[in-house]
Amino acid sequence: MRRTVLYISNLSVPNLYSLKKKIVIVWWLILFVPFIFVEVTDSDIWRLICWLLLLCFFLFGMVAKVMIVFSQQLILYYHIDFEKWLLFEHYRYHKKKSAKYLVSLQVSEAKVAYYKGEFRESIGYVQDINEKALSRFIFSYQCSVKEVLCKSAIMLGDKAQSEAILSQLTLELDQNNSQTKKNKLKNILALGHSLENIVLDKVPNDDIISWETSTNYKLERLEKSYYQALNEQLKGNTDKAKADSEAISKESSDLFFVRESKQYLEDHK
């Protein structure tokens, strides 16, 4: 399964985009055969076999679609290929021209800008998103947008904006009745307050250790390690901070926290 997902994620953008459509076409063709057989056979045993085949093929199709979506996410979070990720998002939007894929493109642009250290641009991308279109996405997706906005404001050094964002999130938390949604909002709020302490106030906050990332893939692990390294620096744990920074510094300099880690190591030779 893992090899298959990784193989799919390495396909070219046009092939990756068209794969889901091809899977759906083949899926319907495969489903059609046992369905017809169910209608024409008089044997109860063969009917049962056909219904079981229909169920298996249906489940296969569902799993295949999930694997394709998951493979697309790996471009960003596992391969950390910003160029291919944005190319895929642009390609999909220009093929569909829908509000849904425009939001997906804008969110991707905001995330990439954040990871590159272009925090003002990241905030701009988020602010350009149509709120009504965004509201059609699942809540966890909406939360990821709020998280990017909060982190970008903090890294930009804009405490007034970060406080405004956190206040709005607190208001949403108080007004929300779903425990699942409340937990997601609490996670963003805890992260925001931790980063405000560490980045803006220069005060250590060990709550950053319990930050729950959404995918736990390479990109988010590196990001979390960077903020933990900053926290260790503030606590005076130079050896631990250096060790974390050393691990981060081996990655692509496209990431702002890789550049920051390299600079820290250079300054503390």
Side-chain angles (χ1 to χ4, degrees):
M1 181 80 74
R2 180 181 174 84
R3 286 185 178 180
T4 303
V5 171
L6 286 172
Y7 172 79
I8 294 171
S9 69
N10 283 310
L11 293 175
S12 67
V13 166
N15 287 336
L16 186 59
Y17 172 79
S18 63
L19 184 60
K20 186 176 180 180
K21 185 182 293 185
K22 291 175 181 176
I23 289 289
V24 170
I25 293 172
V26 172
W27 181 48
W28 278 112
L29 289 174
I30 293 174
L31 283 175
F32 184 72
V33 176
F35 181 78
I36 292 298
F37 201 79
V38 164
E39 295 298 316
V40 299
T41 185
D42 294 326
S43 170
D44 290 338
I45 294 176
W46 277 109
R47 281 178 180 273
L48 177 61
I49 292 172
C50 289
W51 281 117
L52 290 174
L53 284 173
L54 279 168
L55 177 62
C56 290
F57 291 148
F58 179 81
L59 293 175
F60 168 78
M62 293 292 99
V63 171
K65 288 171 70 175
V66 170
M67 286 175 63
I68 292 170
V69 173
F70 189 51
S71 298
Q72 293 165 358
Q73 295 292 317
L74 291 187
I75 298 172
L76 177 63
Y77 293 107
Y78 181 80
H79 299 296
I80 316 182
D81 190 338
F82 294 150
E83 184 178 354
K84 184 177 179 180
W85 175 249
L86 290 180
L87 183 61
F88 173 78
E89 288 286 348
H90 277 282
Y91 188 90
R92 185 169 62 174
Y93 170 63
H94 287 297
K95 284 286 185 180
K96 294 288 187 178
K97 292 292 185 182
S98 70
K100 173 184 176 180
Y101 290 118
L102 175 58
V103 170
S104 181
L105 171 59
Q106 291 171 314
V107 171
S108 293
E109 288 174 326
K111 286 184 177 180
V112 169
Y114 163 75
Y115 285 120
K116 285 185 171 182
E118 299 165 355
F119 306 119
R120 196 175 302 280
E121 288 82 354
S122 178
I123 292 171
Y125 285 127
V126 173
Q127 291 175 339
D128 287 341
I129 295 173
N130 183 288
E131 287 291 331
K132 186 176 179 180
L134 179 62
S135 67
R136 296 170 187 163
F137 284 78
I138 59 174
F139 189 73
S140 60
Y141 192 86
Q142 298 172 36
C143 285
S144 73
V145 178
K146 300 175 194 295
E147 183 179 309
V148 169
L149 182 61
C150 184
K151 291 188 295 189
S152 293
I154 291 170
M155 294 306 296
L156 191 61
D158 191 338
K159 187 159 186 176
Q161 185 170 14
S162 68
E163 285 290 343
I165 295 166
L166 292 174
S167 295
Q168 179 60 37
L169 288 170
T170 302
L171 183 62
E172 289 183 36
L173 176 64
D174 293 338
Q175 295 175 343
N176 209 302
N177 295 321
S178 167
Q179 190 58 50
T180 302
K181 292 181 179 180
K182 279 180 175 289
N183 290 339
K184 291 184 183 299
L185 290 170
K186 285 178 181 177
N187 189 45
I188 302 174
L189 281 166
L191 172 64
H193 289 305
S194 297
L195 293 186
E196 275 194 335
N197 289 156
I198 295 168
V199 177
L200 299 178
D201 303 329
K202 306 300 180 185
V203 176
N205 187 324
D206 286 338
D207 288 346
I208 194 65
I209 298 170
S210 58
W211 171 24
E212 297 178 8
T213 56
S214 57
T215 65
N216 199 32
Y217 262 100
K218 184 178 179 181
L219 180 56
E220 291 186 331
R221 289 201 306 269
L222 288 169
E223 179 190 11
K224 184 175 179 179
S225 293
Y226 168 70
Y227 289 122
Q228 288 178 339
L230 288 184
N231 195 50
E232 295 301 325
Q233 291 174 36
L234 293 171
K235 291 162 66 177
N237 298 334
T238 306
D239 290 342
K240 181 68 169 67
K242 281 186 175 181
D244 289 342
S245 298
E246 185 69 42
I248 298 167
S249 67
K250 297 173 183 177
E251 302 299 328
S252 171
S253 292
D254 282 346
L255 301 165
F256 81 87
F257 40 79
V258 173
R259 298 193 298 272
E260 292 289 325
S261 297
K262 287 180 177 179
Q263 187 61 55
Y264 173 76
L265 292 171
E266 183 68 25
D267 294 341
H268 293 80
K269 283 184 177 179

